[in-house]
Amino acid sequence: QADVVTLALAYDIDEIADTKSNLPHMLPSPEKFSSRMRSMGIGDGSRIVVYDAAGIYSAARVWWTFRVMGVEDVTVLNGGLPKWKREGLPLESGEPRLRSARHFTSRRNADLVRDVFDMKALIKDRSAEIVDARSAERFSGRAQEPRAGLRSGHIPGAHNLPYARLLRQDGTLKSPAQIEALFSEAGVDLSKPVVTSCGSGITASVLALALAEIGHRRTAVYDGSWSEWGADQSLPIETG
């Protein structure tokens, strides 16, 4: 019987990250990830269920990170803690119970992550669809970016699907048919590979989670997202 471990309260996306990078919560090295998982008591063969306090938000980033690190048996609790509370399900308070260290092995799945060099190649060869999860105002360049020093606009050739459109009012993912229709309406050709982007790689992971729900389990996330692209004056952007 595999362990079931809920992680959100103990998982810090800003610490289990590449803290040497000047970009927010970039992927950690496999070695650092393995070390943190072992100390949290998460071992090879554990079944991972991720939730967050927003519904579906940072949990998707944690889900994607586990998958990049080679873990396939990882799921997101649909609707997260808010839905759990609404349904009157049991809760605990206080410090999490300490678990003994377990052996954990990271095997980085490079198919699920893209860097700035990959993205520069993509805008030339158009071998994959780029989908941006930011709001329409930020994507078009009509709204200023919340992070200082970033240009306004989007990666050339990208499509826009604000992540919140994939969620119902109760914070759960919409149905597979609705998800597929939303990507189609955004102009995304789902017969091609998809790379998702956003402000800092969190809501891009919500898009990746939604795509996994309709069978696109090999969707990649541009880890640096607009925090990287928008800051580099040498990189092309589009507006409108």
Side-chain angles (χ1 to χ4, degrees):
Q1 189 75 15
D3 286 345
V4 178
V5 185
T6 53
L7 291 178
L9 294 177
Y11 193 111
D12 183 344
I13 64 171
D14 289 313
E15 197 288 317
I16 306 175
D18 178 5
T19 49
K20 294 176 183 172
S21 173
N22 60 359
L23 298 169
H25 41 254
M26 293 287 282
L27 278 171
S29 68
E31 294 76 18
K32 180 174 182 177
F33 190 80
S34 290
S35 172
R36 295 298 186 271
M37 294 307 104
R38 284 194 291 266
S39 64
M40 289 166 65
I42 299 166
D44 292 337
S46 294
R47 183 174 187 225
I48 314 298
V49 180
V50 190
Y51 70 91
D52 64 43
I56 294 180
Y57 186 66
S58 56
R61 174 74 185 191
V62 178
W63 165 84
W64 172 74
T65 301
F66 269 104
R67 295 191 63 238
V68 171
M69 297 300 171
V71 177
E72 288 293 329
D73 197 0
V74 55
T75 57
V76 171
L77 183 64
N78 200 10
L81 190 61
K83 186 170 188 287
W84 187 271
K85 286 179 173 177
R86 285 196 305 272
E87 295 181 357
L89 295 166
L91 294 165
E92 286 183 344
S93 59
E95 290 296 313
R97 289 189 295 272
L98 290 174
R99 296 168 55 85
S100 57
R102 302 278 301 280
H103 180 74
F104 185 94
T105 310
S106 294
R107 303 176 186 86
R108 187 178 170 101
N109 184 346
D111 289 345
L112 300 181
V113 59
R114 294 289 177 268
D115 64 19
V116 68
F117 303 105
D118 298 322
M119 300 308 290
K120 285 163 74 172
L122 269 183
I123 63 174
K124 290 180 179 174
D125 66 24
R126 304 292 172 114
S127 58
E129 297 281 68
I130 303 168
V131 191
D132 191 317
R134 292 175 301 151
S135 69
E137 292 74 24
R138 288 171 66 189
F139 179 85
S140 66
R142 295 194 304 272
Q144 206 167 7
E145 285 296 306
R147 286 182 178 82
L150 299 186
R151 299 170 295 167
S152 298
H154 58 265
I155 297 170
H159 305 277
N160 184 215
L161 179 51
Y163 83 98
R165 296 192 63 204
L166 294 163
L167 304 176
R168 298 186 179 97
Q169 281 193 323
D170 67 357
T172 58
L173 269 181
K174 290 181 176 176
S175 71
Q178 290 172 309
I179 291 168
E180 196 155 354
L182 284 165
F183 276 96
S184 179
E185 287 167 20
V188 182
D189 180 357
L190 290 175
S191 70
K192 295 173 74 173
V194 178
V195 179
T196 63
S197 181
C198 62
S200 66
I202 291 182
T203 58
S205 302
V206 178
L207 265 57
L209 178 67
L211 285 164
E213 283 294 291
I214 58 171
H216 288 256
R217 287 190 60 81
R218 302 195 73 75
T219 299
V221 170
Y222 170 27
D223 196 17
S225 283
W226 198 250
S227 295
E228 180 174 43
W229 194 276
D232 188 337
Q233 299 292 330
S234 72
L235 296 172
I237 61 170
E238 288 180 346
T239 55

